[in-house]
C-alpha cells in the first residue's frame, strides 16, 4: 500500500461529524511518518501545490491562540509570520451562517495580529501558481519589520 492510497482511503472515510474520523487521521499520520492527513481533497491539492512552490514548512489543522477547545482550528498556518490560509470548499461554506462564521473568525485572527488569506477550489486547482505567489508575498511582507509610524494589532 502506498502513502497516496492510504491518504485516498482516509479522505474517502473521514469527514467532520463522522465518529472515529479524528482517531483514524491520527493512525494515518503514524503510518505516513507524521505527515498530516488532509481533511479534504481541497487540502490535499493545496498541500501538493505548496510543496511544488517550495513554500516554507507550514502547520496543517493549526490551533491558533484564539482556539477555544472546540472552534477555531485553521486549515494552514505559518505561526512565525502570523499567517493563516483557509481553504474554502463548497461543502463547508455553502450557507450564509458558515460565511458569517468565517468572517467572524477572520476578524478574531486580525484582532490577534494575524492575516487570513482565503482560497477556494477553483483558485487551488486552476491557478495554483497565483495562490502560492500570493502566499510567498504575504510571508515576505509579514517577516519584514513594520514601516515607521505603522501600528500592528496585537
Amino acid at each position: 500500500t502506498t502513502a497516496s492510497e492510504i491518504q485516498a482511503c482516509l479522505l474517502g472515510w473521514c469527514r467532520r461529524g463522522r465518529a472515529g474520523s479524528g482517531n483514524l487521521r491520527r493512525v494515518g499520520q503514524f503510518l505516513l511518518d507524521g505527515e498530516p492527513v488532509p481533511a479534504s481533497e481541497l487540502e490535499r491539492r493545496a498541500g501538493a501545490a505548496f510543496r511544488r512552490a517550495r513554500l516554507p514548512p507550514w502547520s496543517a489543522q493549526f490551533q491558533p491562540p484564539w482556539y477555544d477547545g472546540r472552534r477555531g482550528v485553521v486549515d494552514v498556518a505559518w505561526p512565525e509570520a502570523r499567517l493563516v490560509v483557509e481553504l474554502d470548499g463548497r461543502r463547508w461554506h455553502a450557507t450564509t451562517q458558515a460565511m458569517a462564521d468565517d468572517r467572524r473568525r477572520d476578524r478574531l485572527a486580525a484582532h490577534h495580529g494575524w492575516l487570513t488569506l482565503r482560497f477556494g477550489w477553483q483558485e487551488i486547482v486552476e491557478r495554483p501558481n497565483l495562490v502560492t505567489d500570493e502566499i510567498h508575498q504575504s510571508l515576505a511582507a509579514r517577516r519584514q519589520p513594520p514601516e515607521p509610524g505603522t501600528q500592528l494589532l496585537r
Side-chain angles (χ1 to χ4, degrees):
T1 304
T2 68
S4 295
E5 291 169 330
I6 292 171
Q7 283 192 336
C9 287
L10 291 171
L11 281 171
W13 176 262
C14 297
R15 60 179 65 82
R16 289 182 187 152
R18 185 174 228 176
S21 290
N23 289 335
L24 198 52
R25 272 201 186 87
R26 283 188 284 283
V27 169
Q29 279 185 284
F30 175 78
L31 292 173
L32 300 169
D33 294 325
E35 184 73 24
V37 177
S40 67
E41 179 64 14
L42 179 58
E43 288 184 21
R44 187 192 68 73
R45 287 179 181 235
F50 295 173
R51 282 187 288 282
R52 279 192 309 274
R54 298 198 169 143
L55 286 169
W58 62 89
S59 296
Q61 298 302 306
F62 180 72
Q63 295 177 2
W66 58 91
Y67 176 67
D68 67 6
R70 263 190 18 207
R71 293 171 305 196
V73 172
V74 300
D75 293 329
V76 178
W78 284 267
E80 70 286 349
R82 291 185 177 201
L83 178 66
V84 166
V85 169
E86 290 286 16
L87 302 163
D88 295 341
R90 192 175 288 170
R91 174 190 271 172
W92 304 114
H93 300 88
T95 67
T96 303
Q97 183 60 51
M99 289 187 286
D101 291 343
D102 287 345
R103 288 191 297 272
R104 182 192 55 78
R105 285 179 49 187
D106 293 350
R107 290 190 303 272
L108 191 56
H111 176 74
H112 284 85
W114 290 60
L115 171 66
T116 302
L117 302 177
R118 290 187 171 275
F119 300 103
W121 175 270
Q122 191 170 9
E123 292 170 294
I124 295 294
V125 172
E126 295 178 10
R127 298 184 304 279
N129 294 340
L130 294 177
V131 168
T132 56
D133 287 349
E134 186 172 342
I135 295 170
H136 272 298
Q137 291 168 4
S138 295
L139 286 168
R142 296 195 54 86
R143 288 188 173 124
Q144 294 175 357
E147 294 180 25
T150 304
Q151 188 174 21
L152 295 177
L153 292 176
R154 298 257 177 213

